Amino acid sequence: VMACLFSLGYLINMPGGVILILLVALAISASDIGAYFSGRFIGGAKLAPQISPSKTWSGSCGGVVAAVFIILPVIALEIYPVVTLIVGGAVIAVLSQIGDLIESHLKRRLGVKDSSRLIPGHGGFLDRFDGYLTVLPVLAVLVAADLVGLPDIDLNIMSFR
């Protein structure tokens, strides 16, 4: 959790970091939603039955497709090339799902069904943020190593005057 918070603080203070975090948030949310619905409707082989019995490979693939689909309109802003958006969306989705599985594994080891009762019916508070636990630290390292560029967008066009 600390690595996630540190990474968030690091990225949010970088020029273009807020936009990058918003793109990541869109991709993580789309991945969660896409995985849920495609897993429910298609079903199929279980992804990691010992860790999270309801997750399927079809859900995982649906999550990747949804994450890529939701960030592709960013092409219009000409921030990143198409290939970068496709690969980035897929990597974000996979890392997000790994975070979900890690959180599920921890809950299972501790014998806890929900990580909190703050959000009833959603597996707890951490279920809303488990994807960020893996995505943000990896993204921060990639940005620090200059392997992922920050969007060059003037935030003044978004400010209210």
Side-chain angles (χ1 to χ4, degrees):
V1 174
M2 291 304 293
C4 178
L5 293 175
F6 175 79
S7 301
L8 178 63
Y10 171 74
L11 291 168
I12 211 163
N13 286 307
M14 303 287 283
V18 172
I19 300 297
L20 186 60
I21 290 169
L22 289 174
L23 289 174
V24 166
L26 279 173
I28 289 173
S29 295
S31 176
D32 284 349
I33 293 165
Y36 175 79
F37 283 110
S38 60
R40 279 278 187 215
F41 290 123
I42 299 169
K46 302 298 180 191
L47 181 63
Q50 302 84 359
I51 298 172
S52 189
S54 61
K55 289 181 179 40
T56 62
W57 282 101
S58 63
S60 181
C61 292
V64 170
V65 169
V68 170
F69 181 75
I70 200 75
I71 63 172
L72 272 181
V74 173
I75 294 168
L77 298 175
E78 298 179 357
I79 301 172
Y80 295 111
V82 176
V83 173
T84 301
L85 291 171
I86 292 171
V87 171
V91 168
I92 290 168
V94 169
L95 287 172
S96 175
Q97 292 172 27
I98 289 170
D100 190 353
L101 288 171
I102 290 170
E103 194 254 352
S104 294
H105 177 69
L106 288 174
K107 287 192 314 188
R108 197 161 290 286
R109 285 198 56 174
L110 295 172
V112 178
K113 180 168 175 15
D114 295 336
S115 54
S116 79
R117 292 192 177 109
L118 223 76
I119 308 172
H122 286 93
F125 183 74
L126 271 182
D127 271 357
R128 295 301 99 215
F129 299 101
D130 51 17
Y132 296 93
L133 297 175
T134 47
V135 173
L136 289 180
V138 170
L139 183 60
V141 167
L142 293 174
V143 167
D146 209 22
L147 296 172
V148 170
L150 291 161
D152 186 22
I153 292 183
D154 183 9
L155 289 179
N156 291 330
I157 63 170
M158 301 174 129
S159 65
F160 299 99
R161 294 184 183 190

